[in-house]
Amino acid sequence: MPRQAPAPSLLTAPILPALLRFALPNMVAMLATALATVAETAYVGSFGVPSLAGMALVFPMVMLQMMLSGGAMGGGVAAAISRALGAGAPERANALAVHALWIGLAAGGLNGLLMLAWGPAIYAGLGGRGEALAQAIAYSNVAFCGSIGVWLMNTFASVLRGAGNMLVPSATFLLVSLAQVLIGGTLGLGWGPFPRLGMAGVAAGQVIAFSAGAAFLFWYLQSGRSRLSLAVRATPLQRGLLSDILKVGALACISPLQTVLTVLILTRLVAQFGPTALAGYGIGARLEFLLIPISFAIGVASVPLVGMAIGAGLVARAKRVAWIAALLATATLGLLGGVAALAPGLWVDLFTRDPAVQASAALYFLWAGPVYGLFGLGLSLYFSALGAGKVGGLVLAGTLRLLVVAIGGWTLLQTSAEPWTVFALVALGMAVFGLAAALAVRVTRWGHEGLPTTR
């Protein structure tokens, strides 16, 4: 297979300006996604406390789908493509894009079927009861009918990001977020001539918007406007190419599973204090989940820079990219965490005026806010490690966080602890994750300097 030289600018450009150039479009897109989530929660808040409690039950599973498709497997897709381009193998990158399509289609279908079958049992196991459980199921059944659209949109966006194109995916996410807000509000609240569908209507906004976004990105990749060409019929399935994506993406999927399992354990701990405490925690945890897209915007900007550097054998440059991106994420999330701890009302008042719910959410931020910076450190390094294809140590960092929360949670259950102890456990888990992730990247070899690789 003939090789071509990769775009030199991504291998020689100053790192911080390149990161900012890639991160800023993602920041805009992720901000729009965050605002769509805020609007969704505001819609749900107008339905009452049981609906907010129901959203607290289902939201971790919705975000798990996003993290699996856009972060873990999506990172594996972007990393494989960027390494191929860095090594000067564009034909391989094109073939990898087609294989990513089939992975996204299969994974989206499986994701949806599993949640439709097991979602109600999961929410009940988390402590959902009565009207809160009914509201969670009403949202979930509609949201996960659209899993294929979510997976394909995130997959196609990852293909483009792996080739260094951040603008088109970001613009698409911006438009999808606006559509989600408008459609979700129209169907959920019954604007204009439309009936009020409640939680199911809010969920339908996401399904319709993401499916439309996936269709647009598929057309864009086939149109010849991208650096890559999505030639589906002309590209036979090859085990080696599937393996190139899955050996990183599948391993990386363990990390969001651990993240959500951690949140589910914490949700179950809080549920014992009643719907009011659960609703307050749900508002606080939602901001935590929104920090993931912010770190995603920075971390995913490092993926093509790290991946192409690894592909070209520039290992030292790849590590510099990782650390600079990590410092940027730490500073950004640290600032947001400090604001949340000092002025929780700026976030909490968007969703509820119930004094008890507000107090519960404020208590959460008092403990968790100061360590958001360390959480951002770990998340950014996770994406950089995806670019290098060396994500094992970061998965172990997530495992350590899960163990801290699981063992600590079991201990708290045995001692009839107060709610603040659960939130302190949240903070400890975040800190452990960030520090362990930094250690993992520090000690892991990412390859041999001067030795190009596509795998």
Side-chain angles (χ1 to χ4, degrees), residues 192-286:
F194 294 91
R196 182 184 175 96
L197 300 179
M199 294 285 273
V202 174
Q206 174 184 290
V207 171
I208 296 169
F210 271 82
S211 297
F216 168 74
L217 291 180
F218 178 75
W219 168 83
Y220 182 81
L221 283 164
Q222 286 203 314
S223 69
R225 291 171 169 80
S226 170
R227 183 179 180 184
L228 297 175
S229 175
L230 196 65
V232 179
R233 294 184 180 180
T235 306
L237 284 176
Q238 300 178 45
R239 180 178 298 179
L241 295 179
L242 287 172
S243 176
D244 199 10
I245 296 172
L246 292 174
K247 71 182 181 181
V248 176
L251 178 60
C253 283
I254 297 174
S255 184
L257 286 170
Q258 291 174 150
T259 297
V260 171
L261 182 55
T262 300
V263 173
L264 294 181
I265 292 172
L266 293 168
T267 302
R268 182 64 186 89
L269 288 172
V270 176
Q272 66 183 317
F273 300 110
T276 298
L278 183 60
Y281 170 69
I283 292 172
R286 172 153 287 210

Side-chain angles (χ1 to χ4, degrees), residues 90-189:
E91 297 88 351
R92 181 182 180 86
N94 289 334
L96 284 166
V98 175
H99 285 69
L101 161 64
W102 295 119
I103 291 172
L105 189 62
L110 180 61
N111 192 163
L113 289 174
L114 288 176
M115 287 307 302
L116 289 173
W118 294 100
I122 291 173
Y123 309 136
L126 291 172
R129 299 290 184 272
E131 185 61 21
L133 178 59
Q135 293 296 319
I137 294 172
Y139 184 95
S140 176
N141 284 346
V142 174
F144 288 104
C145 281
S147 289
I148 288 178
V150 172
W151 272 84
L152 287 181
M153 179 171 170
N154 280 318
T155 297
F156 295 144
S158 298
V159 167
L160 291 168
R161 289 175 179 134
N165 184 340
M166 302 291 171
L167 184 59
V168 170
S170 297
T172 304
F173 270 99
L174 176 62
L175 294 175
V176 164
S177 297
L178 293 174
Q180 180 179 343
V181 171
L182 293 174
I183 298 171
T186 298
L187 299 180
L189 301 178

